[in-house]
Structures are given as structure tokens and as C-alpha cells.
Amino acid sequence: MKWDLLLASIIFFCVVPALCLSRPAADLIIRNARIWTVDTARPEAQAVAILGDRIVAVGANQELDAWLGPETRVIDAAGKRLLPGFNDSHVHFVTGGARLDEVQLHEVTSPREFARRVAERAAKGAKGEWMVGGNWDETRWNPPQIPTKDLIDPVTPDSPVAVSRYDGHMILANSLALKAAGITAQTPDPAGGVIVRDSRGNPTGALKDAAADLVLKIIPAPNHSQRRQAIERALQMAASVGVTSVQHMNPEYADIAVYSELLDQGKLTTRVYAVPLISQFEDQVKIGIRHAFGNPWLRIGALKAYADGSLGSATAYFFEPLIDQPQNRGLLADLMHPVSSMQDRMAKADAAGLQLCAHAIGDAAISTILDIYSGIEKTHGKADRRWRIEHAQHMAAGDFDRFAGLRVIASVQPYHAIDDGRWAEARIGRDRAARTYAFRTFLNHGVRLAFGTDWYVAPLNPMLTLYAAVTRATLDGKNPKGWFPEQKLTIREAIEAYTMGSAYAEFQDRVKGSITPGKLADMVLLSEDVLTVAPDRIRDIKALKTWIGGQLIYDAESASSTPER
Ligand SMILES: [Zn+2]
């Protein structure tokens, strides 16, 4: 039943007091739960009643008995913690899904095992289908040796292979792939790359940096069915970790077409906000699409812009040079040259009512985007735009106030903090590191946070993100008390950012993000109480059950094991 119909029927029955008792019964009641609603009006509850895809009541067990009917399904949550479903504000959903099905070579410790896994994956793929991914690391082998095509040619007669080293700086291609790319003994090394050769000068299949591009550039884009398969894998993954909404950054239009097809077939099990690149902004302007256009399942109306690169690749744009590269302060992204061209694009998109989400990592990149936003506000006037800065990693001290003044949302990925925290200080120094992933400072300035992962770059599992935000314990174990511990969040603040915060960031805070009557019944039941467990155990918590719009889309009891990413 639609929510408005339901409301109408409640109103109808209740204007005649005698009929009030015959209000509709709930389809589902979850009882005996420890519910953290993320609704300040009623933060804690025991039970929730669902009718259709909406929550109709939240309260104590007995209070909800009035919603029981002969058809009502009742679930006893046995005292487990129930939260609103997680909303990941920044994912690369198709790449994430595709990677789940790629050959996994990272843990391999011998050439034999390497060949065995490649053979196994080749047997699963269609004839002629490219095999990519892998993340092999020959330093784990004894003795370490860079693999050659001879190792995998016998098991891949029909599949071109281009599997990557874990650092992304080398690939191993098989003979089929070399042939497709036209690489022979006569091919010279390209500028910035090396074709590794044997003693007779023949390519071994190992290709470094720019030489790898000779092969990578000829790999065809995924076709419709490959795309659909990747999305279906990603949907399963999301359900298994309690993610019920994702905000897909820079999707291809073909990805949106798959979402639309799945929605039509009733198979979309995660709510999607698709945010295409700003280079294509005129497409949405032409048809008059405005921010958050669509239905609760699938929406468009936002644009993703890049202001700079990343800290890891030393391309994030800073005011001052990097400590470990004194000649380098990073650089602005292509479309930022000149900045006025980006300003123009963004102003046109804003005039059309589209939402802006700008990737900005270095302090100068963030400042430049704030300049643009502030210029647009001056020209177009104040409005509820919910501008976003994606990552917002390294803040200039003076920019927190500007960030807050423009009501810009910081769409951040706490897992990056415990990952980069291993080496970031050596690159940018202590002063800048103190304003890095500065979640507490953002909150103190009244900046709204939205949490996400950047999956595939980091794991999709929200428990790892919560763990990161609450502990700031770097992955190398060197900061058990937290890297810049003054920036830690409480678990309640972290959950808020991951539910209401992310919903706000996509103009959906009135329909989801908390367990509140009238909102969509998107919820997750957890194996342990994330609010009271020791912080270092948060990362071990699992989703037991996930519901979206009142439908159970994941049940750990009936699911087979799922991979980490
Ligand atoms: Zn990203």
C-alpha cells in the first residue's frame, strides 16, 4: 500500500471513532530489538511496525501490539541492535561489483598457485573474455620472481589476460593479449614504460607503467550483460553488509540503464542516487532534471566534478609543496584549467537546479571549490543546494568557517584515514596532518558530514568505516589510541553521519535515514551491539538481517559466506 493511501485510510477510519480499532494491521513487526533510531524525537525503542514499504510505528513491544493482525509476520530480534540501513554517500558500484568476480592473486605465494587460479578463472569466463584484476605480489613468492606469460599461456588459450601487480605499476599479459595489442620483439619501449624482455629480446608478458597502457587501452568496455552481472554482485554485497542506499559517483549512463532495468524487473535491492560527471552536465540540463529527481529507488540530478588528484599519487593540490617531494604541490584536474571554465559549468548546472558534488582533496583544491561555490551563491542568491565536497581531506585552517557558511556537506570516507594515516604525515607534515580527515573539527564548525567508503577503493562494509571514525587506529597498528585522536567521533555521531547525514546529502532525509514512522523501512539487524561493544571490536560485527522497504534482502542464516570487499 502506498503511504498516502495508508494515511487516507487511517484518517478515514479514525474520523469515525468506532472504526478506529479497525486500522490496518502491520505486515511485519520486529520486537525485542535494541533500536537506535537516529531520530532525536525518540532515540531508543524496542519494536518497529512496517506496513507496505514504510515504518508505521516505533515504540515499546506492548505499544505496537495494536498493529498486530492475523497476517502480521512477527520477528523476535532477541535483544540484538537494529539500526537504519546504511547509506554509502560515495561508491563506485560497478567497479566494486566487477572486482568481486575477478581472479584473486594477492595472497598467492607460488607460481604454481598463480597458474592454478588463473586457470580456474579462465574456465569460468566466456571465450575471448578479458581477464583483469588480480593484484599479484611476487615478493610473497620464494624466491620472488616476476611472472611471465609462459606460466599462464597453457591455461589461457582462449582468454586474453592482463592481470595487475597490486601497486598498479605492472601487468602480466599472456600471448593472446600481447598479440591483440600488437606487441612484439620489435616494439620499442614507450616513453615512461618498459616492455620486459627475455635474453633473446622477446617480451615476457610483464609490462611496466606506460607499457601496460598499450594493452589496457584495447580492453573493451563491459557490455550490458557484464555490467548487469557486476551490479547484481554489488547489490548482493551491499545487502550482506547492511547497506541499503548508495550514491554512485561518476557512473556511465549505461550503468544507470542497468539500474533502471533492474528496477523495472523488481530486482533493484539498493536505493541508488547516480551522480554522472560534470563534463556531461548539459544532458541533464536539456531535459530539465533537477536535484534528486526520480523515485525512492533510483534518482539522478547531481553532478560529480574533479578538482584535483589524490594524496597517494601526490596529485592532490596543496598551497605548499609536499614534504617528501619539495618541487611538487600537486595539480588541479584537467577540467579546472582554467578555473573559470569550471566556475562557468558549475554556475550553469546550479542555475538548472542540479546538485554539485566536487572531489577535492588538497587544501588548495578545497579552497578553490569553496571560491567557486561562494561566487555562485553571490550571483544566484542563497538556496537549499546541499553542495558537497567529496573527500574534503586536507583542510586549510581558515576554510572550516567558509565550509560551514556555505552549508557545504563534507562527504568523507573514514576508512581512508586509517589507511593513509600510515604514511600521510611523512608526505604533508604534522601541521597539515592535524587538519586531515578532521571530522571533529567539521562538526564543531557545524558542518554536516555524510559517510561513505569510495568502494572499490576501500571496503564497502560499514563496520570498518564506523571502526575507523571511532578509533582512528591506523591499519599498521602504530596508532592504537588513534591518529590525531582529538578528531575521533563517538559511535552515535558516526552512525548519524552514515544514515541521516548521507540521506541529507542526497535530499532524502525526509524519507529515509532514521527509524521514524512514515519513513522507508530500510533497516539492519547486527550481530553485536555497535553502541556498547569495545571500539576495537566494531570491525568484527556482522549484519544478521537487512530489510529494504520492509523486504528482507539479506539473512545471514540462509546466506553463504560473502567476501570482504
Ligand atoms: Zn571516488
Side-chain angles (χ1 to χ4, degrees):
M1 185 185 288
K2 287 270 165 45
W3 176 241
D4 46 356
L5 276 181
L6 168 67
L7 260 186
S9 59
I10 291 171
I11 291 163
F12 171 77
F13 286 123
C14 294
V15 282
V16 187
L19 293 177
C20 233
L21 292 172
S22 51
R23 75 175 161 195
D27 294 321
L28 170 68
I29 294 180
I30 303 169
R31 298 164 53 92
N32 295 326
R34 296 169 87 175
I35 306 178
W36 180 250
T37 64
V38 198
D39 180 346
T40 47
R42 181 162 199 166
E44 308 239 29
Q46 274 181 308
V48 54
I50 291 126
L51 178 53
D53 64 353
R54 302 280 171 158
I55 294 161
V56 287
V58 179
N61 287 335
Q62 299 83 340
E63 285 177 72
L64 268 66
D65 286 348
W67 286 91
L68 274 170
E71 308 282 308
T72 306
R73 253 173 61 74
V74 177
I75 291 179
D76 184 339
K80 299 287 186 195
R81 179 60 75 181
L82 187 77
L83 296 178
F86 291 99
N87 182 338
D88 194 311
S89 69
H90 187 124
V91 293
H92 303 282
F93 211 55
V94 179
T95 320
R99 289 205 168 193
L100 293 172
D101 281 333
E102 284 175 357
V103 60
Q104 309 291 332
L105 299 172
H106 193 249
E107 315 304 324
V108 163
T109 54
S110 70
R112 213 179 129 161
E113 177 65 7
F114 188 97
R116 195 192 65 77
R117 292 201 187 187
V118 168
E120 193 181 77
R121 182 65 187 82
K124 274 199 276 175
K127 192 171 175 179
E129 189 178 291
W130 280 80
M131 188 187 311
V132 295
N135 293 317
W136 48 272
D137 178 2
E138 83 290 351
T139 66
R140 292 166 178 253
W141 308 6
N142 188 16
Q145 59 185 108
I146 292 173
T148 68
K149 62 184 170 60
D150 299 338
L151 188 59
I152 54 172
D153 272 347
V155 294
T156 54
D158 303 316
S159 350
V161 176
V163 286
S164 305
R165 190 169 190 269
Y166 75 99
D167 65 354
H169 287 283
M170 203 185 327
I171 64 166
L172 174 66
N174 66 352
S175 290
L176 219 51
L178 291 175
K179 189 166 169 230
I183 298 174
T184 65
Q186 281 70 50
T187 311
D189 287 351
V194 176
I195 299 170
V196 179
R197 297 164 205 266
D198 65 17
S199 55
R200 284 173 304 165
N202 293 316
T204 67
L207 303 167
K208 295 185 180 179
D209 290 310
D213 296 338
L214 300 174
V215 170
L216 296 176
K217 72 178 184 201
I218 64 161
I219 300 177
N223 61 29
H224 182 80
S225 82
Q226 290 166 327
R227 222 175 268 282
R228 176 160 171 150
Q229 198 181 334
I231 289 176
E232 286 176 340
R233 288 291 281 119
L235 291 171
Q236 279 171 19
M237 181 68 191
S240 74
V241 292
V243 170
T244 51
S245 292
V246 296
Q247 302 177 35
H248 183 164
M249 294 293 137
N250 33 293
E252 306 275 341
Y253 289 164
D255 300 336
I256 303 177
V258 172
Y259 292 135
S260 173
E261 178 182 284
L262 288 167
L263 172 59
D264 208 28
Q265 296 169 351
K267 292 180 176 166
L268 193 62
T269 53
T270 302
R271 305 185 193 281
V272 180
Y273 192 31
V275 184
L277 283 174
I278 197 163
S279 51
Q280 305 160 299
F281 81 97
E282 280 168 333
D283 294 344
Q284 294 189 72
V285 170
K286 263 182 225 156
I287 38 175
I289 294 299
R290 298 173 63 84
H291 62 71
F293 173 83
N295 72 17
W297 284 105
L298 179 57
R299 282 166 302 96
I300 55 176
L303 296 161
K304 167 85 181 297
Y306 280 91
D308 64 348
S310 72
L311 188 68
S313 62
T315 50
Y317 184 55
F318 284 95
F319 287 113
E320 300 294 329
L322 302 173
I323 305 290
D324 60 345
Q325 297 179 21
Q327 305 304 317
N328 182 17
R329 65 181 188 102
L331 69 169
L332 286 170
D334 286 353
L335 291 182
M336 296 286 284
H337 297 281
V339 171
S340 59
S341 69
M342 182 59 85
Q343 168 117 24
D344 183 54
R345 219 175 275 123
M346 286 186 155
K348 283 179 179 152
D350 181 72
L354 294 164
Q355 186 185 15
L356 300 173
C357 310
H359 161 122
I361 288 183
D363 51 17
I366 295 169
S367 242
T368 307
I369 292 296
L370 292 175
D371 291 345
I372 293 177
Y373 284 169
S374 125
I376 295 174
E377 192 181 71
K378 275 198 192 94
T379 330
H380 296 174
K382 279 195 199 284
D384 183 10
R385 298 186 168 89
R386 307 200 192 178
W387 279 326
R388 301 164 49 150
I389 290 186
E390 305 300 314
H391 312 303
Q393 257 168 241
H394 312 286
M395 288 287 292
D399 273 344
F400 287 102
D401 281 332
R402 291 213 297 155
F403 216 104
L406 290 160
R407 297 169 313 285
V408 176
I409 296 156
S411 170
V412 295
Q413 301 80 37
Y415 190 87
H416 289 342
I418 61 171
D419 195 350
D420 296 7
R422 291 173 296 149
W423 47 264
E425 224 172 309
R427 172 147 290 174
I428 58 176
R430 183 137 192 100
D431 175 57
R432 280 181 291 191
R435 293 185 305 278
T436 285
Y437 302 107
F439 309 142
R440 166 66 51 204
T441 312
F442 275 127
L443 288 185
N444 289 349
H445 281 77
V447 171
R448 203 71 199 257
L449 296 176
F451 270 8
T453 57
D454 211 3
W455 188 53
Y456 64 95
V457 182
L460 185 65
N461 182 354
M463 293 305 135
L464 299 176
T465 292
L466 293 177
Y467 165 80
V470 170
T471 67
R472 291 180 74 98
T474 51
L475 295 176
D476 56 9
K478 291 192 178 149
N479 296 275
K481 298 231 156 67
W483 183 59
F484 294 93
E486 63 278 11
Q487 296 293 348
K488 286 183 193 174
L489 298 189
T490 67
I491 185 65
R492 286 170 178 78
E493 289 166 336
I495 292 169
E496 207 273 346
Y498 224 146
T499 52
M500 282 302 286
S502 297
Y504 178 81
E506 54 159 339
F507 291 91
Q508 295 295 292
D509 46 313
R510 285 205 217 148
V511 293
K512 64 187 184 188
S514 65
I515 299 180
T516 301
K519 284 194 173 181
L520 292 162
D522 299 352
M523 299 172 300
V524 57
L525 189 71
L526 301 176
S527 62
E528 280 188 82
D529 187 357
V530 68
L531 265 64
T532 57
V533 79
D536 66 341
R537 286 182 50 208
I538 293 174
R539 60 186 154 173
D540 302 324
I541 298 176
K542 303 272 182 274
L544 295 178
K545 287 181 165 51
T546 307
W547 293 268
I548 187 156
Q551 299 297 310
L552 186 66
I553 53 163
Y554 174 75
D555 189 344
E557 278 174 33
S558 53
S560 52
S561 66
T562 41
E564 260 301 277
R565 278 174 186 234

